[in-house]
């Protein structure tokens, strides 16, 4: 006898206005990082992903202009689980230029990283 796979469905809305987010990317991964399924939300912010194995999975919602949200959930074979997301607007962005201190020339493909205040980040002394 073959058992049915699990289903994941839900909706993706903005936290501030509860408006649906269309075309949000929904991804489901195993804890090992293997991608199990992906879809986009419809005009009402709804999505469905079928064929999931039973067990622990990670569901991620991403949308342009919003912070990414992640949920760890348990899928039970043959059952449908609901995973709704309320995404926060991205509060700000940073823009600038990276240049060589001596020549003033731009440095292409420089890595710029942002860390929360209070993080244990090693910062080398200025020269």
């Amino acid at each position: 006898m073959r058992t049915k796979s699990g289903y994941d469905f839900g909706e993706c809305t903005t936290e501030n206005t509860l408006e649906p987010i269309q075309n949000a990317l929904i991804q489901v991964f195993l804890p090992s990082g293997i991608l199990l399924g992906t879809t986009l939300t419809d005009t009402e912010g709804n999505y469905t992903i079928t064929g999931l194995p039973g067990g622990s999975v990670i569901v991620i919602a991403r949308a342009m202009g919003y912070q990414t949200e992640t949920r760890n959930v348990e899928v039970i074979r043959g059952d449908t689980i609901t995973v709704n997301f309320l995404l926060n607007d991205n509060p700000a962005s940073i823009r600038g230029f990276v240049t060589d201190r001596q020549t003033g020339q731009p440095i292409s493909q420089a890595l710029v990283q942002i860390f929360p205040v209070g993080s244990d980040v090693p910062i080398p002394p200025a020269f």
Side-chain angles (χ1 to χ4, degrees):
M1 179 175 172
R2 188 166 178 228
T3 59
K4 288 173 51 179
S5 299
Y7 295 84
D8 178 18
F9 81 98
E11 66 180 3
C12 191
T13 56
T14 64
E15 185 171 66
N16 296 335
T17 64
L18 300 180
E19 292 293 318
I21 300 174
Q22 182 178 355
N23 292 322
L25 176 63
I26 308 297
Q27 298 173 300
V28 180
F29 293 89
L30 286 174
S32 65
I34 296 172
L35 179 65
L36 296 175
T38 185
T39 192
L40 297 174
T41 56
D42 65 16
T43 57
E44 299 298 315
N46 297 309
Y47 72 92
T48 302
I49 297 178
T50 62
L52 301 174
S56 296
V57 297
I58 299 165
V59 185
I60 300 174
R62 306 172 198 268
M64 182 75 71
Y66 297 92
Q67 295 177 16
T68 298
E69 290 287 328
T70 302
R71 300 278 189 279
N72 295 314
V73 298
E74 284 292 320
V75 176
I76 300 170
R77 291 182 67 86
D79 282 354
T80 301
I81 61 168
T82 302
V83 182
N84 293 325
F85 292 94
L86 292 173
L87 301 185
N88 288 309
D89 294 340
N90 276 333
S93 61
I94 295 176
R95 185 200 254 168
F97 298 97
V98 178
T99 57
D100 183 292
R101 184 181 292 217
Q102 293 178 348
T103 67
Q105 294 297 311
I107 300 174
S108 67
Q109 299 182 3
L111 174 64
V112 177
Q113 295 178 307
I114 308 297
F115 297 96
V117 173
S119 295
D120 187 19
V121 180
I123 300 175
F127 295 102

